[in-house]
Amino acid sequence: MTAYLDEYNPNSKQSNFRVQSDSSRLKYMNIQSCIAVAIYPTASHKLVGVHLTTATTGNPKELQIACDELRQMIGNVSGSKAYLVANYRTHHAATRLKQALKKFVAQVLVCNIGPVSTTNTGANADVKIELKANRPVCYVRVHAPPLFNQTKPKPTGGFKPGQPRVKSDKANREWQVVDFVPA
């Protein structure tokens, strides 16, 4: 079952706004200035992830809360690797995120997604991280916006009642495999 991760909120009781784990796949929708964080604790054969905002990575107290939740979810596993996907250089490289993760993971790897344009520094991406043969594989695509226009009461853009607001992966923008480099 896929775990969908929304922007982290330490005060939320809803699981999609917190740290989550899944045995096969994590999905992060609409990564702009945010960052998709996935940790693979090798001995447990699961992915643990969180969708952090620049507000969280820039706030030491909130970042510590998120890292404590990640550490608790992965347990005492040595050799874990953290995978970060975002416009890392622009929004997160100067924060304490890497140092906070290095306290409990063996390696931090980054996939830096460039900005949309010179005037928009967001990554405008959806991220999917899957376990394939006990190895995390990361896919990125251009963000697939909802099909329902929020400003009008009538469905637009092919949306029909009873169908999901976002098109399925098969009928939408193509996923591309991306690589990581050490942070």
Side-chain angles (χ1 to χ4, degrees):
M1 173 112 182
T2 302
Y4 289 87
L5 293 99
D6 290 316
E7 293 176 347
Y8 180 75
N9 179 349
N11 300 317
S12 178
K13 293 190 185 332
Q14 292 180 290
S15 64
N16 56 309
F17 293 104
R18 305 300 298 259
V19 172
Q20 292 190 66
S21 70
D22 192 82
S23 61
S24 62
R25 179 183 305 140
L26 300 174
K27 272 192 174 177
Y28 308 78
M29 307 308 270
N30 198 18
I31 298 293
Q32 295 292 335
S33 61
C34 305
I35 189 165
V37 178
I39 297 176
Y40 179 55
T42 52
S44 67
H45 305 293
K46 68 178 179 179
L47 290 166
V48 177
V50 66
H51 180 156
L52 298 175
T53 65
T54 52
T56 299
T57 60
N59 179 330
K61 185 177 179 182
E62 196 167 308
L63 179 60
Q64 185 61 49
I65 292 168
C67 285
D68 288 346
E69 284 187 36
L70 284 165
R71 184 181 297 139
Q72 182 180 11
M73 185 86 66
I74 67 170
N76 240 357
V77 178
S78 63
S80 298
K81 292 183 181 180
Y83 298 88
L84 311 178
V85 184
N87 185 346
Y88 182 78
R89 289 186 202 115
T90 301
H91 298 289
H92 302 281
T95 68
R96 305 226 10 104
L97 176 62
K98 177 183 165 186
Q99 292 86 343
L101 290 171
K102 287 290 267 178
K103 291 178 182 175
F104 61 96
V105 300
Q107 189 175 18
V108 177
L109 301 163
V110 174
C111 172
N112 187 67
I113 301 172
V116 174
S117 69
T118 56
T119 58
N120 179 355
T121 61
N124 196 39
D126 295 335
V127 176
K128 173 173 65 171
I129 300 178
E130 295 181 333
L131 275 180
K132 298 223 178 199
N134 292 325
R135 189 176 74 84
V137 178
C138 182
Y139 303 87
V140 174
R141 70 175 177 193
V142 174
H143 172 59
L147 295 173
F148 190 80
N149 185 333
Q150 298 293 335
T151 61
K152 297 179 183 178
K154 292 184 178 183
T156 61
F159 175 82
K160 294 179 182 153
Q163 291 183 340
R165 288 181 50 212
V166 178
K167 291 181 182 179
S168 73
D169 293 342
K170 293 176 184 163
N172 211 335
R173 297 182 171 119
E174 196 173 313
W175 292 98
Q176 297 177 350
V177 176
V178 293
D179 294 320
F180 291 89
V181 296

